[in-house]
Coordinates of all heavy atoms in Angstrom, one line a residue:
M222 N -56.4 25.5 77.8 CA -56.6 26.4 78.9 C -56.2 27.8 78.4 O -55.2 27.9 77.8 CB -55.9 26.0 80.1 CG -55.8 27.0 81.2 SD -55.0 26.5 82.7 CE -53.5 25.8 82.2
L223 N -57.0 28.8 78.7 CA -56.6 30.2 78.5 C -56.2 30.8 79.8 O -57.0 30.7 80.7 CB -57.7 30.9 77.8 CG -57.4 32.4 77.5 CD1 -57.4 32.7 76.0 CD2 -58.2 33.3 78.3
L224 N -55.1 31.5 79.8 CA -54.7 32.3 80.9 C -54.6 33.7 80.4 O -53.9 34.1 79.5 CB -53.3 31.9 81.4 CG -53.2 30.5 82.0 CD1 -51.8 30.2 82.3 CD2 -54.1 30.3 83.2
A225 N -55.4 34.6 81.1 CA -55.4 36.0 80.7 C -54.8 36.9 81.9 O -55.0 36.5 83.1 CB -56.8 36.5 80.4
G226 N -54.3 38.0 81.5 CA -53.8 38.9 82.6 C -54.9 39.5 83.4 O -56.1 39.3 83.0
S227 N -54.6 40.2 84.4 CA -55.6 40.7 85.3 C -56.6 41.7 84.7 O -57.7 41.8 85.1 CB -54.9 41.4 86.5 OG -54.0 42.5 86.0
S228 N -56.2 42.3 83.5 CA -57.1 43.2 82.8 C -57.6 42.5 81.5 O -58.1 43.2 80.6 CB -56.4 44.5 82.5 OG -56.0 45.1 83.7
G229 N -57.5 41.2 81.4 CA -57.9 40.5 80.2 C -59.1 39.7 80.2 O -59.2 38.6 79.6
A230 N -60.1 40.1 81.0 CA -61.3 39.3 81.1 C -62.0 39.0 79.8 O -62.6 38.0 79.6 CB -62.3 39.9 82.1
A231 N -61.9 40.0 78.9 CA -62.6 39.8 77.6 C -62.0 38.6 76.8 O -62.8 37.9 76.1 CB -62.3 41.1 76.7
W232 N -60.7 38.2 77.0 CA -60.2 37.0 76.4 C -60.9 35.8 77.0 O -61.2 34.9 76.2 CB -58.7 36.9 76.7 CG -57.8 37.9 76.0 CD1 -57.1 38.9 76.6 CD2 -57.6 37.9 74.6 NE1 -56.4 39.6 75.6 CE2 -56.7 39.0 74.4 CE3 -58.0 37.2 73.5 CZ2 -56.2 39.3 73.1 CZ3 -57.6 37.5 72.3 CH2 -56.7 38.5 72.1
G233 N -61.1 35.7 78.2 CA -61.8 34.5 78.8 C -63.2 34.4 78.3 O -63.6 33.3 78.0
D234 N -63.9 35.5 78.3 CA -65.3 35.4 77.8 C -65.3 34.9 76.3 O -66.1 34.1 75.9 CB -66.0 36.8 77.9 CG -66.1 37.3 79.3 OD1 -66.1 36.4 80.2 OD2 -66.3 38.5 79.5
A235 N -64.4 35.5 75.5 CA -64.3 35.1 74.1 C -63.9 33.6 74.0 O -64.5 32.9 73.2 CB -63.4 36.0 73.4
A236 N -63.0 33.2 74.7 CA -62.5 31.8 74.6 C -63.6 30.8 75.0 O -63.7 29.8 74.3 CB -61.3 31.6 75.6
V237 N -64.3 31.1 76.0 CA -65.4 30.1 76.4 C -66.5 30.1 75.4 O -66.9 29.0 75.0 CB -66.0 30.6 77.8 CG1 -67.2 29.8 78.1 CG2 -64.9 30.3 78.9
A238 N -66.8 31.2 74.8 CA -67.8 31.2 73.7 C -67.4 30.5 72.5 O -68.1 29.6 72.0 CB -68.2 32.7 73.4
V239 N -66.2 30.7 72.0 CA -65.7 30.1 70.9 C -65.5 28.6 71.1 O -65.8 27.8 70.2 CB -64.3 30.7 70.4 CG1 -63.7 29.9 69.3 CG2 -64.6 32.1 69.9
A240 N -65.0 28.2 72.3 CA -64.8 26.8 72.6 C -66.2 26.0 72.5 O -66.2 24.9 72.0 CB -64.2 26.6 73.9
G241 N -67.2 26.7 73.0 CA -68.5 26.1 72.9 C -69.0 25.9 71.5 O -69.5 24.9 71.1
E242 N -68.7 26.9 70.6 CA -69.1 26.8 69.2 C -68.3 25.7 68.5 O -68.9 25.0 67.6 CB -68.8 28.1 68.5 CG -69.7 29.3 68.9 CD -69.2 30.6 68.4 OE1 -68.2 30.7 67.6 OE2 -69.8 31.6 68.8
L243 N -67.1 25.5 68.9 CA -66.2 24.5 68.3 C -66.3 23.1 69.0 O -65.7 22.2 68.5 CB -64.8 25.0 68.2 CG -64.5 26.2 67.4 CD1 -63.0 26.6 67.6 CD2 -64.8 26.0 66.0
A244 N -67.1 23.1 70.0 CA -67.3 21.9 70.8 C -65.9 21.3 71.3 O -65.7 20.1 71.2 CB -68.1 20.8 70.0
V245 N -65.1 22.2 71.8 CA -63.8 21.7 72.4 C -63.8 22.1 73.9 O -64.3 23.2 74.2 CB -62.6 22.3 71.7 CG1 -62.5 21.8 70.3 CG2 -62.6 23.8 71.7
P246 N -63.2 21.3 74.8 CA -63.2 21.7 76.2 C -62.1 22.7 76.4 O -61.0 22.6 75.8 CB -62.8 20.4 76.9 CG -62.1 19.6 75.8 CD -62.7 20.0 74.5
L247 N -62.4 23.8 77.1 CA -61.5 24.9 77.3 C -61.9 25.6 78.6 O -63.1 25.9 78.7 CB -61.4 25.8 76.2 CG -60.4 26.9 76.3 CD1 -59.5 26.9 75.1 CD2 -61.0 28.3 76.5
T248 N -61.0 25.8 79.5 CA -61.2 26.6 80.7 C -60.4 27.9 80.6 O -59.4 27.9 79.9 CB -60.8 25.8 82.0 OG1 -59.5 25.4 81.9 CG2 -61.7 24.7 82.2
A249 N -61.0 28.9 81.2 CA -60.3 30.2 81.1 C -60.2 30.8 82.5 O -61.1 30.7 83.3 CB -61.1 31.2 80.2
F250 N -59.0 31.4 82.7 CA -58.7 32.0 84.0 C -58.1 33.4 83.8 O -57.3 33.5 82.9 CB -57.7 31.1 84.8 CG -58.2 29.7 85.1 CD1 -57.8 28.7 84.2 CD2 -59.1 29.5 86.1 CE1 -58.2 27.4 84.5 CE2 -59.5 28.2 86.3 CZ -59.1 27.1 85.5
T251 N -58.4 34.3 84.7 CA -57.6 35.5 84.8 C -56.6 35.3 85.9 O -56.9 34.7 86.9 CB -58.5 36.8 85.0 OG1 -59.3 36.6 86.1 CG2 -59.3 37.1 83.8
V252 N -55.4 35.9 85.8 CA -54.4 35.8 86.8 C -54.0 37.1 87.3 O -53.7 38.1 86.6 CB -53.1 35.1 86.2 CG1 -52.1 34.9 87.2 CG2 -53.5 33.8 85.5
G253 N -54.1 37.3 88.6 CA -53.7 38.5 89.3 C -54.5 38.8 90.5 O -55.3 37.9 91.0
A254 N -54.4 40.0 91.0 CA -55.0 40.4 92.3 C -56.5 40.0 92.4 O -56.9 39.5 93.4 CB -54.7 41.8 92.6
D255 N -57.3 40.4 91.4 CA -58.7 40.1 91.5 C -59.1 39.0 90.6 O -60.3 38.8 90.3 CB -59.5 41.4 91.2 CG -59.3 42.5 92.2 OD1 -59.2 42.2 93.4 OD2 -59.2 43.7 91.8
G256 N -58.2 38.2 90.1 CA -58.4 37.2 89.2 C -58.8 35.8 89.8 O -58.9 35.7 91.0
D257 N -59.0 34.9 88.9 CA -59.3 33.5 89.3 C -58.1 32.8 90.0 O -58.3 32.0 90.9 CB -59.7 32.7 88.1 CG -60.9 33.3 87.4 OD1 -61.9 33.5 88.0 OD2 -60.7 33.5 86.2
L258 N -56.9 33.2 89.5 CA -55.7 32.6 90.1 C -54.8 33.7 90.6 O -54.7 34.8 90.0 CB -54.9 31.8 89.0 CG -55.7 30.7 88.3 CD1 -54.9 30.2 87.1 CD2 -56.0 29.6 89.3
S259 N -54.1 33.5 91.7 CA -53.3 34.6 92.2 C -51.9 34.5 91.6 O -51.5 33.5 91.1 CB -53.2 34.5 93.8 OG -52.6 33.3 94.1
D260 N -51.2 35.6 91.8 CA -49.8 35.7 91.3 C -49.0 36.4 92.4 O -48.6 37.5 92.3 CB -49.8 36.5 90.0 CG -48.4 36.7 89.4 OD1 -47.5 35.9 89.8 OD2 -48.2 37.6 88.7
P261 N -48.7 35.6 93.5 CA -48.0 36.2 94.6 C -46.7 36.9 94.2 O -46.3 37.9 94.8 CB -47.8 35.1 95.6 CG -48.6 34.0 95.1 CD -48.9 34.2 93.7
A262 N -45.9 36.3 93.3 CA -44.6 36.9 92.9 C -44.8 38.1 91.9 O -43.8 38.8 91.6 CB -43.7 35.8 92.3
K263 N -46.0 38.2 91.4 CA -46.3 39.3 90.4 C -45.4 39.2 89.2 O -44.9 40.3 88.7 CB -46.3 40.7 91.1 CG -47.4 40.8 92.1 CD -47.3 42.2 92.8 CE -48.3 42.5 93.8 NZ -48.8 41.5 94.7
G264 N -45.1 38.0 88.7 CA -44.2 37.9 87.6 C -44.7 37.0 86.5 O -43.9 36.8 85.5
W265 N -45.9 36.5 86.6 CA -46.3 35.6 85.5 C -46.4 36.2 84.2 O -46.1 35.6 83.1 CB -47.5 34.8 85.9 CG -48.8 35.4 85.5 CD1 -49.6 36.3 86.1 CD2 -49.5 35.1 84.2 NE1 -50.7 36.6 85.3 CE2 -50.6 35.9 84.2 CE3 -49.2 34.2 83.2 CZ2 -51.5 35.9 83.1 CZ3 -50.1 34.2 82.1 CH2 -51.3 35.0 82.1
T266 N -46.8 37.5 84.1 CA -47.0 38.1 82.8 C -45.6 38.3 82.1 O -45.5 38.1 80.9 CB -47.6 39.5 82.9 OG1 -46.9 40.3 83.8 CG2 -49.1 39.4 83.3
T267 N -44.6 38.5 82.9 CA -43.2 38.6 82.3 C -42.8 37.2 81.8 O -42.2 37.1 80.7 CB -42.2 39.1 83.4 OG1 -42.7 40.4 83.9 CG2 -40.8 39.2 82.9
V268 N -43.0 36.2 82.6 CA -42.6 34.8 82.2 C -43.3 34.4 80.9 O -42.7 33.8 80.0 CB -42.9 33.8 83.3 CG1 -42.7 32.4 82.9 CG2 -42.0 34.1 84.5
Y269 N -44.6 34.8 80.8 CA -45.4 34.4 79.6 C -45.3 35.4 78.5 O -45.8 35.2 77.4 CB -46.8 34.1 80.0 CG -47.0 32.8 80.6 CD1 -46.8 32.5 81.9 CD2 -47.5 31.7 79.8 CE1 -46.9 31.3 82.4 CE2 -47.6 30.4 80.3 CZ -47.4 30.2 81.7 OH -47.5 29.0 82.2
G270 N -44.6 36.5 78.7 CA -44.4 37.5 77.6 C -45.6 38.3 77.2 O -45.8 38.6 76.1
I271 N -46.5 38.6 78.2 CA -47.7 39.4 77.9 C -47.8 40.6 78.9 O -47.1 40.6 79.9 CB -49.0 38.5 78.0 CG1 -49.2 38.0 79.4 CG2 -48.9 37.4 77.0 CD1 -50.6 37.4 79.7
E272 N -48.7 41.5 78.5 CA -49.1 42.6 79.4 C -50.3 42.1 80.2 O -50.9 41.1 79.9 CB -49.4 43.8 78.6 CG -48.2 44.3 77.7 CD -47.1 44.8 78.6 OE1 -47.4 45.4 79.7 OE2 -45.9 44.6 78.2
P273 N -50.8 42.9 81.2 CA -52.0 42.6 81.9 C -53.3 42.4 81.0 O -54.2 41.7 81.4 CB -52.2 43.7 82.9 CG -50.8 44.2 83.1 CD -50.1 44.1 81.8
E274 N -53.3 43.0 79.9 CA -54.4 42.9 78.9 C -54.3 41.7 78.0 O -55.2 41.4 77.2 CB -54.5 44.1 78.1 CG -54.7 45.4 78.9 CD -53.4 46.0 79.5 OE1 -52.3 45.6 79.0 OE2 -53.5 46.8 80.4
G275 N -53.2 41.0 78.1 CA -52.9 39.9 77.1 C -53.4 38.5 77.6 O -54.0 38.4 78.7
A276 N -53.1 37.5 76.8 CA -53.6 36.2 77.1 C -52.7 35.1 76.4 O -52.0 35.4 75.4 CB -55.0 36.0 76.7
V277 N -52.7 33.9 76.9 CA -52.0 32.8 76.3 C -53.0 31.6 76.3 O -53.8 31.4 77.2 CB -50.7 32.4 76.9 CG1 -49.7 33.5 76.8 CG2 -50.9 32.0 78.4
L278 N -52.9 30.8 75.2 CA -53.6 29.5 75.2 C -52.5 28.4 75.5 O -51.4 28.4 74.8 CB -54.2 29.2 73.8 CG -55.5 29.9 73.5 CD1 -55.9 29.7 72.0 CD2 -56.6 29.3 74.4
V279 N -52.8 27.6 76.5 CA -51.8 26.6 76.9 C -52.4 25.2 76.5 O -53.5 24.9 76.8 CB -51.6 26.6 78.4 CG1 -50.6 25.5 78.8 CG2 -51.1 28.0 78.8
R280 N -51.6 24.5 75.7 CA -52.1 23.2 75.2 C -52.1 22.2 76.4 O -51.5 22.4 77.4 CB -51.1 22.7 74.1 CG -51.0 23.6 73.0 CD -50.0 23.1 71.9 NE -49.0 22.2 72.4 CZ -47.9 21.8 71.6 NH1 -47.7 22.3 70.4 NH2 -47.0 21.0 72.1
P281 N -52.8 21.1 76.2 CA -52.9 20.1 77.2 C -51.5 19.5 77.7 O -51.4 19.1 78.8 CB -53.7 19.0 76.6 CG -54.6 19.7 75.6 CD -53.7 20.8 75.1
D282 N -50.5 19.6 76.8 CA -49.2 19.1 77.2 C -48.4 20.2 77.9 O -47.2 20.0 78.2 CB -48.4 18.6 75.9 CG -48.2 19.7 74.9 OD1 -48.5 20.9 75.1 OD2 -47.6 19.3 73.8
G283 N -49.0 21.3 78.2 CA -48.3 22.4 78.9 C -47.6 23.4 78.1 O -47.1 24.4 78.6
H284 N -47.5 23.2 76.8 CA -46.8 24.2 75.9 C -47.7 25.3 75.5 O -48.9 25.1 75.4 CB -46.3 23.5 74.7 CG -45.2 22.6 74.9 ND1 -43.9 22.9 74.9 CD2 -45.2 21.2 75.2 CE1 -43.1 21.9 75.2 NE2 -43.9 20.8 75.3
V285 N -47.2 26.5 75.4 CA -48.0 27.6 74.9 C -48.2 27.4 73.4 O -47.3 27.3 72.6 CB -47.3 29.0 75.2 CG1 -48.0 30.1 74.5 CG2 -47.1 29.2 76.7
G286 N -49.5 27.4 73.1 CA -49.9 27.2 71.7 C -50.1 28.5 70.9 O -50.1 28.6 69.7
W287 N -50.4 29.6 71.7 CA -50.7 30.9 71.1 C -50.6 31.9 72.2 O -50.8 31.7 73.4 CB -52.2 30.9 70.6 CG -52.7 32.2 70.2 CD1 -52.6 32.8 68.9 CD2 -53.5 33.1 71.0 NE1 -53.3 34.0 68.9 CE2 -53.8 34.2 70.2 CE3 -53.9 33.1 72.3 CZ2 -54.5 35.3 70.7 CZ3 -54.6 34.2 72.8 CH2 -54.9 35.2 72.0
R288 N -50.2 33.1 71.8 CA -50.1 34.2 72.7 C -50.4 35.6 72.1 O -50.1 35.8 70.9 CB -48.6 34.3 73.2 CG -48.1 35.5 73.8 CD -46.6 35.6 74.1 NE -45.8 34.5 73.6 CZ -45.3 33.5 74.4 NH1 -45.5 33.5 75.7 NH2 -44.6 32.5 73.9
C289 N -51.1 36.4 72.8 CA -51.3 37.8 72.4 C -50.8 38.7 73.5 O -51.3 38.6 74.6 CB -52.8 38.1 72.1 SG -53.1 39.8 71.5
G290 N -49.8 39.5 73.2 CA -49.2 40.3 74.2 C -50.0 41.3 74.9 O -49.7 41.7 76.0
G291 N -51.1 41.8 74.3 CA -51.9 42.9 74.9 C -53.3 42.7 74.5 O -53.8 41.6 74.1
A292 N -54.0 43.8 74.6 CA -55.5 43.8 74.3 C -55.7 43.7 72.8 O -54.8 43.9 72.0 CB -56.1 45.2 74.8
A293 N -56.9 43.2 72.5 CA -57.2 43.0 71.1 C -58.5 43.8 70.8 O -59.3 43.9 71.6 CB -57.4 41.5 70.8
V294 N -58.6 44.2 69.5 CA -59.8 44.8 69.1 C -61.0 43.8 69.1 O -62.1 44.2 69.4 CB -59.6 45.5 67.7 CG1 -60.9 46.0 67.1 CG2 -58.5 46.5 67.7
N295 N -60.7 42.6 68.6 CA -61.7 41.6 68.5 C -61.2 40.3 69.1 O -60.8 39.4 68.4 CB -62.1 41.4 67.1 CG -63.4 40.6 66.9 OD1 -63.7 39.7 67.8 ND2 -64.1 40.7 65.8
P296 N -61.3 40.1 70.4 CA -60.7 38.9 71.0 C -61.4 37.6 70.5 O -60.7 36.6 70.4 CB -60.9 39.1 72.5 CG -61.4 40.4 72.7 CD -61.8 41.0 71.4
R297 N -62.7 37.7 70.3 CA -63.4 36.5 69.8 C -62.9 36.0 68.5 O -62.6 34.8 68.3 CB -64.9 36.8 69.7 CG -65.7 35.6 69.5 CD -67.2 36.0 69.5 NE -68.0 34.9 69.2 CZ -68.9 34.4 70.0 NH1 -69.2 35.0 71.2 NH2 -69.7 33.4 69.7
R298 N -62.6 36.9 67.6 CA -62.1 36.6 66.3 C -60.7 36.0 66.4 O -60.3 35.0 65.8 CB -62.0 37.8 65.3 CG -61.5 37.5 64.0 CD -61.0 38.8 63.2 NE -60.0 39.4 64.0 CZ -59.8 40.7 64.1 NH1 -60.6 41.5 63.4 NH2 -58.8 41.2 64.8
D299 N -59.9 36.6 67.3 CA -58.5 36.2 67.4 C -58.4 34.8 68.1 O -57.6 33.9 67.7 CB -57.7 37.2 68.3 CG -57.5 38.5 67.6 OD1 -57.8 38.6 66.3 OD2 -57.1 39.5 68.2
I300 N -59.3 34.6 69.1 CA -59.3 33.2 69.8 C -59.8 32.2 68.8 O -59.3 31.1 68.7 CB -60.2 33.3 71.0 CG1 -59.5 34.1 72.1 CG2 -60.5 31.9 71.5 CD1 -58.3 33.5 72.7
A301 N -60.8 32.5 68.0 CA -61.4 31.5 67.0 C -60.3 31.1 66.0 O -60.1 30.0 65.8 CB -62.6 32.1 66.3
A302 N -59.5 32.1 65.5 CA -58.5 31.8 64.6 C -57.4 31.0 65.2 O -56.9 30.0 64.6 CB -57.9 33.1 64.0
A303 N -57.0 31.3 66.4 CA -56.0 30.6 67.1 C -56.4 29.1 67.4 O -55.6 28.2 67.2 CB -55.6 31.3 68.5
L304 N -57.6 28.9 67.9 CA -58.1 27.6 68.2 C -58.2 26.8 66.9 O -57.8 25.6 66.9 CB -59.4 27.6 68.9 CG -59.4 28.0 70.4 CD1 -60.8 28.1 71.0 CD2 -58.6 26.9 71.2
R305 N -58.7 27.4 65.8 CA -58.8 26.6 64.6 C -57.4 26.2 64.1 O -57.2 25.1 63.5 CB -59.5 27.5 63.5 CG -61.0 27.5 63.8 CD -61.8 28.2 62.6 NE -63.2 28.1 62.9 CZ -64.0 29.1 63.3 NH1 -63.4 30.3 63.6 NH2 -65.2 28.9 63.5
Q306 N -56.5 27.1 64.2 CA -55.1 26.7 63.8 C -54.5 25.6 64.7 O -54.0 24.7 64.2 CB -54.2 28.0 63.8 CG -52.8 27.6 63.4 CD -51.9 28.9 63.3 OE1 -52.3 29.9 63.8 NE2 -50.7 28.7 62.8
L307 N -54.7 25.7 66.0 CA -54.2 24.7 66.9 C -54.9 23.4 66.6 O -54.3 22.3 66.8 CB -54.4 25.1 68.3 CG -53.4 26.2 68.8 CD1 -53.9 26.8 70.2 CD2 -52.0 25.8 68.8
L308 N -56.2 23.4 66.3 CA -56.9 22.2 66.1 C -56.9 21.7 64.6 O -57.4 20.7 64.3 CB -58.4 22.4 66.5 CG -58.6 22.7 68.0 CD1 -60.0 23.2 68.2 CD2 -58.3 21.5 68.8
A309 N -56.2 22.5 63.8 CA -56.1 22.2 62.3 C -57.5 22.0 61.7 O -57.8 21.0 61.0 CB -55.2 21.0 62.1
T310 N -58.4 23.0 62.0 CA -59.8 22.9 61.4 C -59.9 24.1 60.4 O -59.3 25.1 60.5 CB -60.9 23.0 62.5 OG1 -60.8 24.2 63.2 CG2 -60.8 21.8 63.5
A311 N -60.8 23.9 59.5 CA -61.1 25.0 58.5 C -62.1 26.0 59.1 O -62.8 25.6 60.1 CB -61.6 24.4 57.3
D312 N -62.2 27.1 58.5 CA -63.2 28.1 59.0 C -64.6 27.7 58.7 O -64.9 27.0 57.8 CB -63.0 29.5 58.3 CG -61.7 30.2 58.8 OD1 -61.3 29.8 60.0 OD2 -61.2 31.0 58.1

């Protein structure tokens, strides 16, 4: 699962596209006021160590497998590299 900050929609789009290419199940959510998931306490970015433009990949066992604290120049490339590393696949 990918969780992106309220300004991190590009991460979700990239994650869904890359997951499709790699044929792995992955859901993506933005968290915040206008996101897919709400954050009533407004503290999830602090807990996960990211800014509103950042994102985390959460493994099925609930552990964070990858994190980017802020915006990326090329989210698709970064997500692809992270998923390949987590899945131990070659380029």
Side-chain angles (χ1 to χ4, degrees):
M222 167 177 48
L223 179 118
L224 298 173
S227 59
S228 299
W232 287 115
D234 296 340
V237 169
V239 170
E242 292 169 8
L243 297 176
V245 295
L247 185 127
T248 53
F250 302 97
T251 55
V252 182
D255 294 324
D257 304 304
L258 304 173
S259 65
D260 180 22
K263 296 179 177 41
W265 93 271
T266 55
T267 301
V268 171
Y269 279 82
I271 67 167
E272 299 295 325
E274 301 80 17
V277 296
L278 280 171
V279 181
R280 301 182 332 195
D282 63 4
H284 291 273
V285 173
W287 170 89
R288 162 187 5 255
C289 182
V294 174
N295 190 337
R297 189 178 181 119
R298 179 197 63 212
D299 295 348
I300 290 289
L304 283 174
R305 285 189 175 100
Q306 182 177 6
L307 289 169
L308 298 168
T310 61
D312 287 340

